[in-house]
Amino acid sequence: MAQPQSPTGKRVALWGGALIVLGGLVLALAWSQSQSTKPQPSSESAANVPAVTERDHVKGNAMATSVLIEYSDFQCPACKAYYPVVSKIADELGTKVQVAYRNYPLSQLHKNARTAASAAEAAGKQGKFWEMHDVLFINQEKWSESKDVKRDFSAYAKAIGLSVEQFTQDLSDKTLQEKIDADLSGGTAAGVQGTPTFFLNRKKLESTPPNYEQFKERIEESVGKP
């Protein structure tokens, strides 16, 4: 059984050392991989991406004029590489931007991605989507090839203080599966072809900023703009 690491303790380590690496070679590689599956127009395109609603999982200022939507796969290495960047955006720019996470599990490539999305959504039913979101990314290498991933996710649910019995039942809840399917279909209709894919103010970022500073610049430029 995979033993989860604490999101709080691990995040400290991420900012201390791993983020430096992510800011360099690792994040650069992830950026390259995330772009390789997408077309490369010269500028952002207007996109028919669904607007953020109460069904979305959101951090930041709900009244912010800038909205960053991420389509992501919990088993995707590039998504994990961007996880600290997106977390920092929410933590440090949260008064200026609203950050929404949407599921886009690439099930043909990542065998446990759909179950991981279900785990996060099930945790969300108990008010702890973001806690499970963090644990899944932090422990990605441990559960990605697991032969009993539901047992691993139940251990994570216990570690973050969920009712494991309810969590187990909710993993197969029909409404949660419909939510994941809606995220997938909405993303596909908006032009998502790989993960992570970001939309800023409902416009697809065809060239994803490779680091936090460039992301921050793009977000600050978007404040007050449609």
Side-chain angles (χ1 to χ4, degrees):
M1 181 186 303
Q3 296 298 317
Q5 299 178 29
S6 165
T8 300
K10 185 64 177 181
R11 185 169 291 177
V12 171
L14 281 170
W15 297 135
L19 185 56
I20 295 174
V21 177
L22 291 174
L25 295 177
V26 173
L27 189 54
L29 177 59
W31 174 81
S32 176
Q33 291 175 337
S34 72
Q35 301 307 302
S36 64
T37 57
K38 306 173 192 175
Q40 300 296 311
S42 58
S43 61
E44 287 78 37
S45 58
N48 189 28
V49 63
V52 171
T53 71
E54 67 279 357
R55 295 190 69 193
D56 284 297
H57 302 287
V58 176
K59 281 185 174 183
N61 181 4
M63 303 301 293
T65 56
S66 286
V67 180
L68 180 68
I69 299 173
E70 176 187 13
Y71 282 87
S72 182
D73 173 340
F74 285 110
Q75 197 175 340
C76 165
C79 296
K80 177 174 180 175
Y82 270 96
Y83 156 66
V85 175
V86 178
S87 295
K88 191 173 182 179
I89 288 170
D91 291 343
E92 298 194 5
L93 303 177
T95 60
K96 299 179 180 180
V97 66
Q98 185 178 179
V99 179
Y101 180 97
R102 288 179 178 165
N103 298 290
Y104 205 82
L106 302 173
S107 300
Q108 292 183 333
L109 297 175
H110 303 138
K111 66 179 182 179
N112 291 328
R114 176 83 186 208
T115 307
S118 300
E121 293 294 338
K125 289 197 70 174
Q126 297 186 53
K128 292 196 173 184
F129 171 85
W130 291 106
E131 288 84 348
M132 182 62 80
H133 166 280
D134 293 352
V135 170
L136 289 172
F137 276 129
I138 289 168
N139 294 280
Q140 186 188 85
E141 292 85 354
K142 294 183 178 181
W143 58 261
S144 289
E145 299 302 322
S146 175
K147 295 181 180 179
D148 193 354
V149 73
K150 289 185 178 180
R151 183 180 67 173
D152 299 334
F153 293 164
S154 293
Y156 300 166
K158 182 178 180 180
I160 64 175
L162 299 181
S163 164
V164 176
E165 181 179 0
Q166 180 182 339
F167 172 81
T168 302
Q169 293 175 350
D170 289 339
L171 275 177
S172 56
D173 186 288
K174 182 179 178 181
T175 60
L176 297 190
Q177 299 310 309
E178 290 173 348
K179 164 69 165 56
I180 295 169
D181 287 339
D183 283 356
L184 279 165
S185 60
T188 298
V192 175
Q193 296 181 324
T195 56
T197 294
F198 296 93
F199 294 82
L200 184 57
N201 294 349
R202 302 185 71 188
K203 294 182 180 180
K204 184 179 178 183
L205 298 184
E206 300 289 1
S207 179
T208 306
N211 55 51
Y212 169 74
E213 291 302 326
Q214 290 187 38
F215 237 128
K216 178 181 178 181
E217 182 178 346
R218 297 288 286 276
I219 289 169
E220 290 182 334
E221 288 175 351
S222 75
V223 173
K225 296 180 180 180

